[in-house]
Amino acid sequence: MLTEKVRSQILGGCMRDFKTYLAGYCGGFFTIIHFQNGRYELKISAWSQEDPDGAQLGGFLAQQKAQNSRILDFKLFPKYFTLTMKVPSLAKNIPDAVNSTAGPILGYLQNFHYSSGCESCGTTENIGCYEINGTAFHLCDSCLSQVHTSLQQNQQEVSSKKSGLVSGLVGAFLGSLIGCVLWVLIYRLGYIAGIAGAVTGICAMKGYEKLGGTLDKKGVIGSIIIMVLMIFFANRIAWAWEAYDALQMYGYTFADCFRGLGEILSLSELTGQYYGDLAIGYVLTLVCSFQSIRSAFQGSTGSFKINRRL
């Protein structure tokens, strides 16, 4: 999400802000800018009968990439193209970065009389901007109907698939071990990393899908439960390791420290810190894995959401 001042300076203020992307009709072309992991993906609907395979446009974009260090990559499609660019760290520099990158491209499209319309079929009639499962598209009524039908069919197919719960949970456990090891190693370096918790959850879901046959709703729930338990287990191993480092000179083994961790924490008055670290770990894991879990739930049921934006 950008401030109104920043948004109004991007491409003459023709784009509307929808939090995770900008969309609008700029210089005669349907344009979308998605915000993705610290980068912007610029998508412009453009095609020309005089450049049917996009060779001329591809050559121009390659030239722009060579001249503009902000451009990381571009991809050509029959009726549109995408361009990935780096985003300035300061919001006040975003308009200049976007305008200096997109401006020359829009100018080229205008000068060589490219057309703009539906991303799928190219028609210029009845075009709307639709958000489909969080991603924006410029589509005509006919292509939107086809997308809707396809998503409905996919939902029915996904709903009909059932996973093997026991084998899936075994897979989730095996997969979560990767995140568990990562958690312990990062903790040994003196940090609590939510990314390790997120890796635990993602690997658990991948493992469930691998051995369970498919990742349905109960698979996602089961994987989340495995993730929570394994983070608790990993945190306990990390603390037991710390205790072992301190007590091994007195003849304690790692197994002794792991079994007697509760008593060790109580005697050393570290119980509060132990559970505090665990709570922080869970919170950071939730922050880092929320989107992945949300997407997994959505994918497990085949559900979809279509909203018209423009």
Side-chain angles (χ1 to χ4, degrees):
M1 179 187 294
L2 302 174
T3 65
E4 177 59 24
K5 180 179 180 181
V6 171
R7 184 207 64 79
S8 65
Q9 296 174 6
I10 295 176
L11 297 178
C14 66
M15 308 282 279
R16 286 185 58 185
D17 190 347
F18 296 101
K19 296 185 179 180
T20 58
Y21 61 90
L22 302 175
Y25 188 68
C26 303
F29 296 88
F30 293 105
T31 304
I32 295 170
I33 301 177
H34 281 109
F35 310 146
Q36 298 180 336
N37 301 321
R39 298 177 177 180
Y40 282 0
E41 181 191 76
L42 173 68
K43 179 167 65 171
I44 298 178
S45 171
W47 60 277
S48 171
Q49 291 182 343
E50 297 178 1
D51 184 24
D53 59 357
Q56 295 178 29
L57 177 58
F60 174 76
L61 293 176
Q63 183 183 57
Q64 291 296 299
K65 181 177 182 294
Q67 297 174 353
N68 188 342
S69 61
R70 292 195 180 279
I71 300 177
L72 301 175
D73 192 18
F74 67 88
K75 295 180 181 179
L76 291 173
F77 300 89
K79 303 301 179 184
Y80 70 96
F81 64 89
T82 62
L83 183 149
T84 305
M85 60 176 289
K86 291 185 288 188
V87 183
S89 56
L90 297 178
K92 66 179 182 179
N93 296 330
I94 292 177
D96 179 63
V98 174
N99 294 340
S100 63
T101 300
I105 295 173
L106 289 171
Y108 174 88
L109 297 175
Q110 292 168 345
N111 292 337
F112 288 90
H113 309 294
Y114 281 75
S115 299
S116 186
C118 174
E119 296 178 19
S120 181
C121 69
T123 183
T124 58
E125 301 294 328
N126 301 317
I127 307 300
C129 179
Y130 298 91
E131 183 179 315
I132 304 175
N133 289 342
T135 303
F137 303 87
H138 281 112
L139 299 170
C140 66
D141 292 346
S142 177
C143 290
L144 176 67
S145 178
Q146 293 177 23
V147 170
H148 187 269
T149 300
S150 177
L151 290 172
Q152 284 183 321
Q153 292 175 346
N154 178 70
Q155 186 176 38
Q156 293 173 356
E157 292 175 2
V158 170
S159 299
S160 66
K161 295 180 180 179
K162 303 299 179 183
S163 68
L165 181 60
V166 175
S167 57
L169 290 177
V170 171
F173 170 74
L174 294 176
S176 68
L177 289 175
I178 299 173
C180 185
V181 171
L182 183 62
W183 179 286
V184 174
L185 293 178
I186 292 176
Y187 195 91
R188 292 288 293 172
L189 296 175
Y191 301 98
I192 303 173
I195 187 63
V199 169
T200 303
I202 292 171
C203 290
M205 289 186 285
K206 291 293 184 182
Y208 187 100
E209 184 177 14
K210 188 73 173 178
L211 296 188
T214 186
L215 185 65
D216 53 12
K217 189 173 183 179
K218 68 175 181 288
V220 177
I221 295 173
S223 297
I224 293 173
I225 293 174
I226 293 290
M227 176 187 73
V228 172
L229 294 175
M230 292 302 287
I231 288 174
F232 180 88
F233 181 66
N235 190 63
R236 188 175 179 87
I237 289 177
W239 273 77
W241 198 339
E242 294 284 336
Y244 173 67
D245 287 344
L247 299 175
Q248 60 177 319
M249 67 180 66
Y250 301 108
Y252 285 84
T253 65
F254 179 83
D256 294 333
C257 294
F258 185 82
R259 287 194 302 266
L261 184 61
E263 184 178 358
I264 294 172
L265 293 174
S266 179
L267 291 173
S268 57
E269 299 182 349
L270 292 173
T271 303
Q273 184 178 339
Y274 170 81
Y275 286 106
D277 283 359
L278 183 61
I280 292 173
Y282 279 134
V283 171
L284 292 176
T285 296
L286 177 62
V287 172
C288 293
S289 62
F290 175 78
Q291 189 57 48
S292 297
I293 293 174
R294 181 182 178 184
S295 298
F297 265 118
Q298 190 174 60
S300 69
T301 60
S303 62
F304 61 91
K305 182 182 292 186
I306 299 177
N307 293 317
R308 177 159 186 158
R309 294 307 189 187
L310 295 172

